[in-house]
Amino acid sequence: MRISCSPGFPGSMIGSIHLSPTEPSSKTQITAHIDPELIAIPYVTDPNFGSHFDAMKIMEGTYQEEFHKSYDVEFTIDVDHKGYITRFEHTFPLERYFDLIRTQSYRVIHTNWRGQSFHVMTYSYMEEVINPNNVLFRCTHAEDVFVVAELVPFRVGEVVKQPNNLFLHFRALISARDDLYPMDYMCQPDFDLHLD
């Protein structure tokens, strides 16, 4: 899975996660900063992991229907013609990117939830992914792909600027659609770092 990081705003980087298969990056600088033995996207089987999502609220509308209604985003999150997410961007400190890789927090978990088999792709620390205050958005009414999100007030640094304007922090994707999000791609670590 292509997870890129490049200079953004002063003090932060822009990360881009490509959920749809794309050609691997060829000139990444990641091994200059991370031990190559730590560069992995682990695949884990945990039948009970899905129970964490039972405590989270499922929003009324789909991800697209709730946009500008219950949340906003830093950048537009790309979706295909049916509403399935193909790519998303966010800002974060460079050290967070390095630490997420070092701790192998980007991972794929095979689990059961709502009587069905799902793959969960995590994009944050585990405590952020399973936080019961997170919410779930359906990508479509088929209920075969969900976004796990934390909704937080808009802030600049640590100061809340707009307490009633909630921004979506993408924590994980829950998918029963291996055709859209194939495991051979999702588990392939393609950490695309460019600091120039």
Side-chain angles (χ1 to χ4, degrees), residues 5-7 13 27 29 32-33 94 97-98 192-196:
C5 182
S6 57
M13 306 293 284
K27 297 184 179 180
Q29 300 169 350
H33 302 273
L94 179 60
Y97 179 69
F98 288 157
D192 186 20
L193 174 67
H194 295 278
L195 297 177
D196 304 327

Side-chain angles (χ1 to χ4, degrees), residues 21 28 143:
T28 181
E143 298 195 357

Side-chain angles (χ1 to χ4, degrees), residues 7 17 26 63 76 82 86 99 110 139 151 158 165 173-174 179 184 188 193:
I17 298 182
S26 58
Y63 170 81
T76 301
K82 291 185 177 179
T86 59
D99 197 53
H110 182 235
C139 277
L151 300 182
E158 295 301 313
N165 189 11
L173 188 78
I174 307 169
D179 57 328
D184 58 345
Q188 180 63 44
L193 174 67

Side-chain angles (χ1 to χ4, degrees), residues 89-180:
E89 293 180 329
H90 57 98
T91 58
F92 56 170
L94 179 60
E95 189 50 46
R96 178 178 169 96
Y97 179 69
F98 288 157
D99 197 53
L100 287 169
I101 297 170
R102 284 188 200 108
T103 58
Q104 297 184 344
S105 294
Y106 296 111
R107 61 181 49 205
V108 176
I109 303 166
H110 182 235
T111 193
N112 297 312
W113 181 52
R114 305 174 90 198
Q116 188 175 352
S117 176
F118 282 93
H119 281 107
V120 179
M121 282 73 79
T122 64
Y123 306 107
S124 294
Y125 299 113
M126 194 54 63
E127 61 269 20
E128 294 172 337
V129 171
I130 63 173
N131 183 338
N133 295 319
N134 288 345
V135 298
L136 304 173
F137 293 95
R138 305 167 184 86
C139 277
T140 72
H141 291 288
E143 298 195 357
D144 52 4
V145 178
F146 295 79
V147 173
V148 179
E150 180 182 7
L151 300 182
V152 296
F154 177 73
R155 63 182 66 224
V156 176
E158 295 301 313
V159 179
V160 173
K161 295 291 187 179
Q162 299 171 5
N164 297 321
N165 189 11
L166 298 180
F167 272 66
L168 181 145
H169 289 223
F170 200 113
R171 299 301 184 201
L173 188 78
I174 307 169
S175 170
R177 295 292 304 271
D178 291 353
D179 57 328
L180 295 175

